[in-house]
Amino acid sequence: MRNPINVLSSLQQHSSDKSYTYERLYRNLYREFYLLAYQNIYANEGNMTKGTDGKTIDAMSLKRIDKLIESLKSESYQPNPSRRTYIPKKNGKMRPLGIPSFDDKLIQEVLRMILQAIYEGYFEKSSHGFRPNKSCHTALDSIQKSFSGAKWFIEGDIKGFFDNIDHKIMISVLSKRIKDEKFLRLINKFLKAGYLEQWQYHNSYSGTPQGGIISPILANIYLDEFDKYMQELKSELDKGKGRKPLSQAIKLESHLQRLRRKLSVTTDENERKAILQKITEIQKEKYQTPYSDPMDNDFKRLQYVRYADDFIIGIVGSKEDAKSLKIKIAEYLQNSLKLELSEEKTLITNSSDKAKFLGYEIYVRKTNAVTTNKNGVKSRYLNGSVCLSVSMQTIRDKLLEYKAMRIETTVYGKENFKPKSRYYLKDNDDLEILEQYNSEIRGIRNYYSLANNSSIVSSFGYIMQYSMFKTFATKYRTSVRKITQKLRIGKGFGVQYKDKKGNLKTRLFYNNGFSRKKLKYSQNVDILPRTIMYTAKTSLKQRLEAGKCEYCGNESGMIEIHHVRKLKDLKGKSRLETFMIARNRKTIALCRQCHSDLHLGRLN
């Protein structure tokens, strides 16, 4: 039986060949693939949440996997409807989330691995969402590098994308590369599995299963059609090798060259001074004069970046070009993908104003400022460059979301930000309070580290610091002054605590600064699952196949893997918990008898 890693590598070899089609994929749904999928997803805490079938990841066994495989062979397998719940969105509305059963998650992970191997090399470079080694930061970095000189932005917004994916079109898009009807029927079953809300079944007539493991890859496959259409629009709009130089700029450059030639042969000191003075004057005028015609209609460019269902377009051209593109995009989405472009949210923005994308504000600098590079050459390279910025409104909203600040409005209408105690944290221990503040500050700092004005996040850190002081003051019913003295450790602030071995440890409040960071790209890109987990000596695969109970040592029965949601939930009060803590595992392989006794409270 072939190793699944080798199968995925073989599939991936043809990924970038746009004419290649894949056949006989369904036969790859064998035991080894499920063991790899199980290894990939077993650590997710959500696996201990019951699906509509009442089961969790607990009691995973080879028999359970083999039963799934048999149902897939006979095509009798039918995914369970997901259990629908709602989570709050930033705008106060609620987002629907589907919770699939674990058996369905396991099969979806196998499908995801196969689809990723097939499509990763096929996707366009403009796509950055839910892809290996790509992220919001790579999308933003791409914008900063490729949108230079843009005159207009189109901020794209697709109405309810994940809920409105057309199932027929989805299967049709997949069938362009995949010529395996069984494989396509299985994906179609997941698309139409439906969901339970308040124990009432609802059909899924469109959309992907939100919360499902295969939803992101299916969404990318669907919108890759749009990415390729944008490449067509780019080839239609792009023209010219460069902007036409202005006659005034050419005259100034010619004048400079004549003066430099004259300077090279002149020996009279007074004349040389006069020439140098003239060169300086002309250079100043040159730096204030654009070299090329910004309104040159013979030079146009289109740049496009997408993250999930959000996209932004940069156009070197006229506003009419932008309006025409917006109409074409809306028509394509409606006619080819049955998606609707939001008219009110899809904005055409002048590049000197600020377009919004992935929480950043994006604009193109217009400046005649002259800078000197490391070689001493002066230029206006900042003019036309793209700026990424974070607004004070974003900082304000995040502080209000965390309830770490209140706003006082002066008689003149000015807002003053005042740190406040987060009363709901007062019952947490000191380390938990400190860690919560640190994680929230690091999260904001890391996400906005690409911003040209990233130092503005320091105001967020300042208010969070004093909010933490006030929270501790509330907990200990004392003043902020006394708390700062209590938390002072050297030049910083922190908490001392004892670890499990009784050693005294110190955890400091965040003090790593807020300066801008450049994006670091990994040199070793592995688009396949991390095989080190699969080949490790303690892999779940080997523990299942060993057939040995790790509690009683029985080697004659069926092994089931017992799972806990979090390792910290274990108190070490029993031999089994001590075993799991000592090995830093959330799992233990048990024979059926031991596993049954454990859940019945009879395991000594």
Side-chain angles (χ1 to χ4, degrees), residues 262-263 266-278:
K262 188 175 181 181
L263 181 67
T266 302
T267 57
D268 183 85
E269 196 62 33
N270 291 330
E271 190 175 353
R272 285 180 65 83
K273 286 182 180 179
I275 294 171
L276 286 170
Q277 179 66 29
K278 190 65 176 176

Side-chain angles (χ1 to χ4, degrees), residues 77-89:
Y77 170 78
Q78 182 61 46
N80 294 291
S82 58
R83 182 162 61 84
R84 175 159 287 192
T85 186
Y86 290 87
I87 56 175
K89 296 169 68 174

Side-chain angles (χ1 to χ4, degrees), residues 25-253:
L25 293 174
Y26 201 74
R27 64 175 182 164
N28 291 316
L29 305 180
Y30 52 79
R31 180 192 278 186
E32 297 293 316
F33 253 108
Y34 291 93
L35 291 171
L36 177 57
Y38 177 43
Q39 184 74 51
N40 285 347
I41 66 174
Y42 84 96
N44 299 337
E45 292 176 11
N47 292 331
M48 290 301 291
T49 302
K50 290 182 179 179
T52 53
D53 60 353
K55 296 179 183 178
T56 68
I57 190 175
D58 194 39
M60 179 52 64
S61 65
L62 294 178
K63 184 177 180 180
R64 186 171 170 182
I65 290 174
D66 290 340
K67 187 177 179 181
L68 276 176
I69 293 171
E70 286 303 315
S71 65
L72 286 165
K73 282 181 178 179
S74 63
E75 290 197 77
S76 61
Y77 170 78
Q78 182 61 46
N80 294 291
S82 58
R83 182 162 61 84
R84 175 159 287 192
T85 186
Y86 290 87
I87 56 175
K89 296 169 68 174
K90 289 182 181 179
N91 60 10
K93 297 181 180 180
M94 302 299 284
R95 184 192 304 278
L97 184 69
I99 302 175
S101 67
F102 181 75
D103 287 354
D104 293 339
K105 288 181 184 178
L106 194 65
I107 296 175
Q108 285 190 39
E109 173 62 12
V110 175
L111 295 175
R112 184 202 65 79
M113 289 189 291
I114 293 172
L115 289 173
Q116 183 171 289
I118 291 172
Y119 281 96
E120 183 55 34
Y122 180 76
F123 289 147
E124 297 295 325
K125 292 181 180 179
S126 54
S127 167
H128 292 261
F130 313 122
R131 292 183 62 187
N133 214 49
K134 290 204 170 191
S135 64
C136 294
H137 279 186
T138 61
L140 292 160
D141 187 63
S142 176
I143 290 168
Q144 191 154 46
K145 288 177 178 176
S146 63
F147 279 44
S148 297
K151 298 298 179 186
W152 300 95
F153 294 133
I154 300 177
E155 305 169 50
D157 184 272
I158 300 173
K159 280 187 179 179
F161 167 68
F162 287 96
D163 292 329
N164 292 305
I165 290 176
D166 186 275
H167 292 169
K168 288 184 179 179
I169 295 176
M170 181 80 257
I171 298 300
S172 174
V173 170
L174 287 166
S175 64
K176 291 179 182 179
R177 300 212 83 195
I178 298 172
K179 305 299 181 183
D180 185 331
E181 292 300 322
K182 284 187 177 182
F183 191 84
L184 295 175
R185 282 198 294 270
L186 179 58
I187 292 176
N188 198 41
K189 284 181 179 180
F190 278 107
L191 292 173
K192 298 186 177 299
Y195 62 92
L196 284 183
E197 187 172 5
Q198 297 181 344
W199 299 109
Q200 185 174 354
Y201 175 78
H202 298 268
N203 283 314
S204 299
Y205 297 106
S206 63
T208 58
Q210 292 200 25
I213 291 173
I214 57 169
S215 292
I217 185 78
L218 289 179
N220 270 338
I221 292 169
Y222 199 82
L223 282 180
D224 183 65
E225 297 291 297
F226 178 56
D227 297 341
K228 287 177 168 50
Y229 176 69
M230 289 306 302
Q231 284 299 112
E232 293 177 15
L233 290 182
K234 176 177 172 59
S235 62
E236 291 175 9
L237 182 74
D238 286 5
K239 68 175 182 178
K241 292 184 178 181
R243 288 189 179 94
K244 181 172 57 181
L246 290 170
S247 58
Q248 178 63 16
I250 295 173
K251 288 178 183 177
L252 289 171
E253 184 61 35

